[in-house]
Amino acid sequence: MPLSHFHPVIQEWFRSRFEAPTEAQASGWPAISQGRHTLIAAPTGSGKTLAAFLTCIDSLVRQGLDQ
C-alpha cells in the first residue's frame, strides 16, 4: 500500500522524517489497515512498529478531523 493512502497530514509527517516506506511497511499496511491479524517478519530497524502505529495514528487523525 503506498503512502498516498494515508491522510495528507500523515503523509507530510512521514516524508519529513523518512525517505520512503520500507518494504516491511509497504507490505504490512494493506492487511493492517483492513484490521487483519498481521505478522511482519523483518530485521530490527526495518519499521515494523511504525508500520502498525502509523495506520492507527492515521485513523485517529481522520476521526479527530471528522468531529
Side-chain angles (χ1 to χ4, degrees):
M1 179 170 106
L3 193 57
S4 62
H5 281 76
F6 290 93
H7 188 277
V9 170
I10 300 300
Q11 292 178 45
E12 182 180 329
W13 176 86
F14 190 95
R15 288 187 179 120
S16 73
R17 285 159 178 78
F18 306 99
E19 188 174 316
T22 65
E23 183 180 340
Q25 291 165 339
S27 297
W29 284 334
I32 295 167
S33 68
Q34 294 171 9
R36 295 176 27 216
H37 295 281
T38 307
L39 173 65
I40 299 174
T44 298
S46 60
K48 297 180 298 288
T49 302
L50 184 56
F53 282 120
L54 199 66
T55 303
C56 297
I57 293 168
D58 183 71
S59 177
L60 289 171
V61 166
R62 289 175 189 273
Q63 288 175 35
L65 293 173
D66 286 344
Q67 292 183 8

